[in-house]
Amino acid sequence: MTHPATIATTTDRAATYEAVLARIDALLDGETDWIAAMATVACELHHAFPYYHWTGFYRAVSDDLLVIGPYQGGHGCLRIPFSKGVCGAAARERRTQLVPDVDAFPGHIACSSTTRSEIVVPVLTPAGDLLAVLDVDSDDPAAFDATDQQYLERLCARLGRRFAGTPVR
């Protein structure tokens, strides 16, 4: 398997993210439906990066539970409590989880046996309410870096502002 570092340099990643974020902004212009937005974002991201093997959202449906939302890739876990896994940690701590080796993450939930690395970014409103988490898995070890984190955090912040009035439960 080709290591992601050989697929795209930091400059290539940044340029790809800039193009993807511009497409997402154009596609979501005027969109008010949160589910449609999540589906569009997952699709755009998933097809833009060769090391994105599962890309999607888990929606916050209560103060301690995430439920699968729109995604691209194989089946995901249907429900994840805030107390479990990388997604649960991102929801609970309200901060990005960048995990180069999922086997080294305490309590990792193996929704797919092929996942080697993961990044999960919370989607927060300006008031700090959790709408969802964006979860990206890779079958490559250490696939994600600071560039991925920077751009995914920027995207999720935009989504949090845009859908701040969306009922999350």
Side-chain angles (χ1 to χ4, degrees):
M1 188 171 294
T2 304
H3 191 278
T6 64
I7 295 169
T9 66
T10 299
T11 303
D12 292 338
R13 283 186 193 209
T16 302
Y17 275 112
E18 290 290 343
V20 170
L21 268 54
R23 278 196 312 272
I24 289 170
D25 284 344
L27 289 164
L28 296 185
D29 185 38
E31 183 56 60
T32 59
D33 186 277
W34 174 225
I35 303 296
M38 287 187 289
T40 300
V41 169
C43 181
E44 284 296 315
L45 288 172
H46 190 75
H47 294 286
F49 297 95
Y51 54 97
Y52 276 41
H53 297 117
W54 193 96
T55 312
F57 290 88
Y58 284 93
R59 299 171 294 113
V61 297
S62 71
D63 291 336
D64 63 356
L65 183 65
L66 298 167
V67 173
I68 198 162
Y71 67 91
Q72 300 274 312
H75 291 286
C77 295
L78 297 179
R79 295 175 181 272
I80 301 176
F82 284 20
S83 61
K84 305 272 186 194
V86 180
C87 290
R92 183 177 65 251
E93 298 173 13
R94 305 256 196 301
R95 68 177 178 85
T96 299
Q97 305 292 309
L98 178 59
V99 182
D101 177 3
V102 295
D103 292 331
F105 189 90
H108 173 256
I109 302 169
C111 297
S112 169
S113 62
T114 60
T115 299
R116 303 276 43 100
S117 60
E118 184 170 6
I119 186 169
V120 182
V121 182
V123 180
L124 302 169
T125 69
D129 296 321
L130 181 71
L131 296 177
V133 297
L134 171 61
D135 179 19
V136 186
D137 297 353
S138 181
D139 295 347
D140 300 320
F144 307 103
D145 64 15
T147 301
D148 299 289
Q149 182 171 344
Q150 172 193 348
Y151 280 96
L152 293 176
E153 286 177 347
R154 183 164 52 163
L155 171 62
C156 288
R158 287 180 186 175
L159 292 171
R161 285 190 300 274
R162 176 186 291 264
F163 293 100
T166 301
V168 295
R169 304 207 170 27

